[in-house]
Amino acid sequence: MFKTYQQYFTGPIWRPPYEAQSILLQATAGCTHNKCKFCSLYPKELKFRASPMEEIEKDLTIIKHYKVQSRRIFLTGSNPFVLRPDHLIDIAQRIRVLLPHIETIGCFACITDIKSKTVEELKQLRHFKFNRITLGIETGHDETLRYMRKGYDAKTALEQCLKLEEAGIEYHFIILNGLAGKGKGIENAMATAQLFNQPHPSIIGVTSLTIFPESDLYEDVMCGAYIETPEKERLVEMKTLIENLKNPTTLLANTISNAIPIQGILPKDRNYMLHTLQSAIEEIDEEVMDSFRRSIEHL
């Protein structure tokens, strides 16, 4: 009789779209920060937990049993990179023993997770195949970072990204279009472009802010303390960002949250993306895009 095996997974499991072909391995559950106003991904009652090595080894044995051929593993959890370097290296070594074909290990990380590590420690992690880390930067607009309780400013974000570069670790950004609120779209885009033109993210993934009742930001909307960015203003904000990004990168704004999905390589596809956004601004009614936003049940 065929026996099935089940990996350990706790709570919601998230991974970036570009990690679709990666093997998923739970290293942590929940988020160490879990204070961002806009976030509804991790329930407040879900306390941060690092997976015991016994669970990780069992999961790796299951993956080995099914002969999964992907050459990349993505560690799940909001920010597994918060774990101590020796703990992450221990995970990497067990991966190497059980799945020797794995070439790279990725995960989500907070800026503060990098801040707690030296460049030498980051170099060690790169040696043990940690690469292409995804950072939820959200914005380069300090006022918005403070309001959303991100726990760092743009200057700190830049410093930590440059540490990753010194260590040879590639990284990706996730940003939230429309996060600054109504009337601040261009200001937000310019500040974000100013920040992003200094480090060198390989990918900029764009999610358009969608506010769910589980988030603290929803309460601010209900009491009038925060006004959502209208859909056309979001498109103007995205246009402004793309116009002002100078470094080569790949921009992916093609998740369900993006009313007008676009993707391309900068600078090669800049004009194509700008034309797509401008056409939508001119031709699509605000009400149509707003109705699309309200129809999104989850990300």
Side-chain angles (χ1 to χ4, degrees), residues 67 123 130 155 189 198 212 236 242 270:
K67 297 181 172 61
K123 286 180 179 180
F130 281 89
K155 179 175 180 291
Q198 298 175 79
F212 296 104
V236 172
I242 293 171
R270 192 190 312 273

Side-chain angles (χ1 to χ4, degrees), residues 28 32 48 79-85 88 108-109 112-113 116-117:
T28 62
T32 55
F48 178 83
N79 58 323
F81 211 62
V82 73
L83 298 173
R84 298 188 318 272
L88 291 170
F108 284 120
T112 49
D113 301 342
S116 66
K117 295 173 175 60

Side-chain angles (χ1 to χ4, degrees), residues 31-44 78-79 109-112 136-139 144-152 176 179 209-220:
C31 177
T32 55
H33 186 63
N34 210 15
K35 297 176 183 176
C36 299
K37 280 198 170 192
F38 55 82
C39 187
S40 58
L41 299 183
Y42 301 96
K44 299 298 182 184
S78 175
N79 58 323
C110 294
I111 288 297
T112 49
I137 293 285
E138 323 306 0
T139 176
T144 302
L145 287 169
R146 284 192 298 272
Y147 183 77
M148 295 299 169
R149 302 193 299 236
K150 284 298 296 181
Y152 57 82
L176 276 173
L179 187 62
L209 177 67
T210 308
I211 304 173
F212 296 104
E214 297 81 8
S215 69
D216 292 344
L217 189 57
Y218 182 83
E219 297 178 10
D220 287 5

